[in-house]
Amino acid sequence: MTIVSFKHKFIFIKTRKTAGTSVEAFLRNICGEKDIVTPVSPDDDYPLVMQGLYPRNYSNDKEGEQVYVALIREGKFEEARAHLKRMKRPFRNHMPIAVVRKKLRKPLFFMRAHKLTVERHPFGFVLSRAAYDKRKENPGDNQPLSQEELARAVRDLCVRARRSPEVLPRNWDMYARGGRILVQRIMRYESLAEDLKKFTDDLGIEVDVDLPHMKSVGAGAEKNFSLIDDNCKQFIREHFKETFRALSYNANA
């Protein structure tokens, strides 16, 4: 999800494997009717829609937006997913900041808006991404991965990423260009509730920060850095070197 809040003058850039869906669920509570709130997926949108927190203004097809919400309300997730794919949507999930700026076509608002995102330790990111990729192989299997399975999945991901770096996309490229960060605030996955509270306090909004929608895939990854072997850690240090440097993450964890 991308969120552009005209009401509170902020733009949220959703990164990958950083509890972005949980952050979006929280931010929907403070968004206005004219704000841009992109859909995530029918499964993730369902509990939010049932609370009256709709995706909106992400398309010029307002009727199509209403149809998507109606299908979700009826529990027709596959139809909703197919409908969403057919819609013309200027604003989508996981949009880099440069694309948001281009699609928004409001240069003065973009310049003045407070732009924020979420990042996490690259080792945790890779562990979470490896777990996610492994789950996609058997989507019906809800059993947690064993430590051995996760370690193998990480090794396999590093091997593939060495050959084809695009299989391990960097969040850095969504909110930065070269060595320059293009957002004003980077919240950390490791202290997300506290950072969100600081953000809403700065906006002058009194709201409890609760992230019940946190996805479980890869959860707790920050406790499992030892599952990454030395060769893979060296690759990660190089692949995510800007993140390590800019956010002062411990590269020897």
Side-chain angles (χ1 to χ4, degrees), residues 55-97:
R56 53 193 178 273
N57 305 317
Y58 57 90
S59 168
N60 295 325
D61 182 1
K62 301 307 175 187
E63 182 179 348
E65 292 183 2
Q66 294 171 5
V67 169
Y68 175 70
V69 169
L71 289 171
I72 290 176
R73 279 189 171 278
E74 296 169 11
K76 299 178 179 179
F77 290 178
E78 290 306 316
E79 291 182 39
R81 190 171 289 109
H83 174 74
L84 198 61
K85 287 183 178 180
R86 291 193 297 268
M87 287 181 65
K88 292 183 178 180
R89 294 173 286 150
F91 295 92
R92 295 171 178 265
N93 205 12
H94 293 306
M95 290 177 66
I97 191 169

Side-chain angles (χ1 to χ4, degrees), residues 47 55 80 98 125 172 204 206 215:
F125 173 86
W172 177 265
E206 291 292 332
K215 290 185 175 180

Side-chain angles (χ1 to χ4, degrees), residues 63-200:
E63 182 179 348
E65 292 183 2
Q66 294 171 5
V67 169
Y68 175 70
V69 169
L71 289 171
I72 290 176
R73 279 189 171 278
E74 296 169 11
K76 299 178 179 179
F77 290 178
E78 290 306 316
E79 291 182 39
R81 190 171 289 109
H83 174 74
L84 198 61
K85 287 183 178 180
R86 291 193 297 268
M87 287 181 65
K88 292 183 178 180
R89 294 173 286 150
F91 295 92
R92 295 171 178 265
N93 205 12
H94 293 306
M95 290 177 66
I97 191 169
V99 178
V100 174
R101 180 178 185 176
K102 180 179 179 181
K103 297 291 185 180
L104 192 56
R105 297 180 181 176
K106 294 180 181 292
L108 187 59
F109 170 82
F110 183 89
M111 180 181 67
R112 292 177 175 175
H114 187 85
K115 294 166 278 290
L116 68 155
T117 191
V118 184
E119 189 56 280
R120 77 188 296 178
H121 194 295
F123 291 167
F125 173 86
V126 171
L127 281 159
S128 184
R129 179 76 189 206
Y132 174 78
D133 289 349
K134 190 67 176 177
R135 283 274 179 255
K136 285 177 66 177
E137 295 177 6
N138 298 289
D141 185 1
N142 294 320
Q143 293 299 314
L145 296 177
S146 69
Q147 301 283 281
E148 293 77 12
E149 288 175 319
L150 183 54
R152 284 198 300 272
V154 171
R155 286 196 299 272
D156 291 345
L157 177 58
C158 284
V159 168
R160 289 186 287 117
R162 283 183 185 276
R163 294 196 301 261
S164 304
E166 65 273 9
V167 306
L168 191 56
R170 309 183 314 165
N171 286 331
W172 177 265
D173 299 318
M174 299 185 69
Y175 61 81
R177 182 171 58 236
R180 182 187 174 200
I181 295 174
L182 302 177
V183 297
Q184 286 80 39
R185 186 184 305 246
I186 301 177
M187 300 182 292
R188 294 177 185 248
Y189 175 90
E190 299 84 3
S191 57
L192 190 50
E194 295 88 345
D195 290 352
L196 270 174
K197 178 60 176 171
K198 178 64 166 58
F199 172 59
T200 53

